[in-house]
Amino acid sequence: MADRKDSRTPSKGGLIKKKEKKGEKAERKPEEKEKDKLKEQKMPKMSEKTAENQQNNVDKPKGNGEIAEGAQVPVKDEEFQLEPIELPPFEIIVGDRMNPTFFKFQFKNVEYSSGRNKTFLCYQVDIQAGTTEADGLRGYMEDEHSGSHAEEAFFQQVLAYYDKSLCYTVTWYISSSPCAACAAKLVEILRSRKTLRLNIHCSRLFQWEEPEIQAGLQALVRVGCKIHMMRPLDFAYVWSTFVENEEDSFTPWEDCQESYEYYDERLCDILK
C-alpha cells in the first residue's frame, strides 16, 4: 500500500521543475507581446491578400475544372439584349390526312382545352348537278387562330368558286366550334349561297358561356346550318378518313362518351 501512495505523490524535484517552467513562461511574456504587435502590423496585408484570393476564386472553376457557359454572368446579359425574333407569316395548312398525334390532341373533347391554340377542320364536299353523279372534295385544314380562321379560309381556298346551278353539301368535323366572328361570316356566306348546305360536327364548344358565342351559333342555325357535337362514332370516322392511321383502329380516350354528353347538353341549351 505504501508503494502505491508514494507513486501518486509527486517528488520535490518535480515541483521545483514546474516552478521553473512557470517562471520561464512569465519571462517570455514581453517577447510574445512584441510578436503580437508585429502580427497586428502584418494583419492588414494578409486581409488584403485574402480578399484578393476570394475575388480570384469567384472566377475559378469548380468540380471538374470547367465553367459552364450558361452560368456565367456575361452570357445572361447577352440573353437579355437579344432582339425579338419575327415569326413567319400566317399560313393555312391544307392536306389529305393529318398526323395521328395531332388528331388525338386537337380533337380530344376535353372541357378545358389548354394548349390547343389551333382549329383543325376536316371537310367533305358533295357537289351535284341535277341527276348526275355527285362530285366531291375531301381533306383537312388547320390554322393558328390568327389571320383567317380555318372556317373562313375554307371558302377562300377550298370552295372559293360557287355555281348557283349546283347543289353543295358541306360537312365539317371541327376541333372547336366557330367563334363569334367566324359565325357571322358563315351566316353571310350561307345567305348568299342558297344551294349550299353546311353541317358542322364539333369536338368541343368554344367559349360556349359567352353571350356573343351563343348568339353566333343560334344565327347559324336560323340560316339552315346544322350543328352537332361529335360522338365516339364520329371520332372513329375522322380517324379512318382523315388521319394517317397506318390501318390501326380507333381507340376512344377515357371519358370520350361522357364528354360528348356534357357538350351535347350545353349545345341543346344554347339552341333551344
Side-chain angles (χ1 to χ4, degrees), residues 12 48 212 227:
K12 292 182 180 181
E48 291 174 2
E212 61 270 19
I227 305 176

Side-chain angles (χ1 to χ4, degrees), residues 38 59 89 91 106 120 122 147 150 173 216 236 246:
L38 292 174
D59 299 329
E91 182 181 2
Q106 297 291 346
F120 277 71
C122 301
Y173 298 91
E246 298 182 354

Side-chain angles (χ1 to χ4, degrees), residues 93 98-123 139-145 149-151 171-179 182 199-208 217 227-231 234-235 238 242-243 253 259-260 263:
I93 299 174
M98 73 181 75
N99 186 292
T101 303
F102 293 166
F103 168 76
K104 292 178 181 179
F105 180 73
Q106 297 291 346
F107 272 88
K108 195 171 185 179
N109 56 351
V110 292
E111 182 177 356
Y112 301 102
S113 55
S114 177
R116 293 167 174 84
N117 57 350
K118 294 184 179 182
T119 298
F120 277 71
L121 187 155
C122 301
Y123 60 86
Y140 88 95
M141 309 176 67
E142 62 177 279
D143 65 27
E144 291 282 354
H145 277 289
H149 290 185
E151 297 94 327
T171 303
W172 287 351
Y173 298 91
I174 192 168
S175 58
S176 181
S177 61
C179 66
C182 286
N199 304 305
I200 303 178
H201 300 263
C202 311
S203 173
R204 300 181 303 275
L205 289 177
F206 175 71
Q207 297 182 357
W208 60 269
L217 297 178
I227 305 176
H228 309 276
M229 299 309 302
M230 289 180 64
R231 303 164 296 172
D234 296 317
F235 290 111
V238 172
F242 301 99
V243 179
W253 46 80
S259 297
Y260 156 71
Y263 276 122

Side-chain angles (χ1 to χ4, degrees), residues 10 15 41-42 59 62 70 176 219 228 265 268:
L15 291 172
Q41 293 175 358
K42 294 181 179 179
D59 299 329
K62 296 182 179 180
S176 181
H228 309 276
E265 185 177 352
C268 290

Side-chain angles (χ1 to χ4, degrees), residues 42 62 82 150 152 202 226 229 238 241 251 270:
K42 294 181 179 179
K62 296 182 179 180
L82 290 176
E152 182 183 5
C202 311
K226 295 181 180 180
M229 299 309 302
V238 172
T241 309
T251 302
I270 294 172

Side-chain angles (χ1 to χ4, degrees), residues 38-57:
L38 292 174
K39 287 181 180 180
E40 289 176 359
Q41 293 175 358
K42 294 181 179 179
M43 280 299 292
K45 294 182 179 180
M46 294 177 64
S47 61
E48 291 174 2
K49 189 175 181 181
T50 304
E52 291 177 0
N53 291 338
Q54 291 177 352
Q55 182 66 27
N56 293 333
N57 288 337

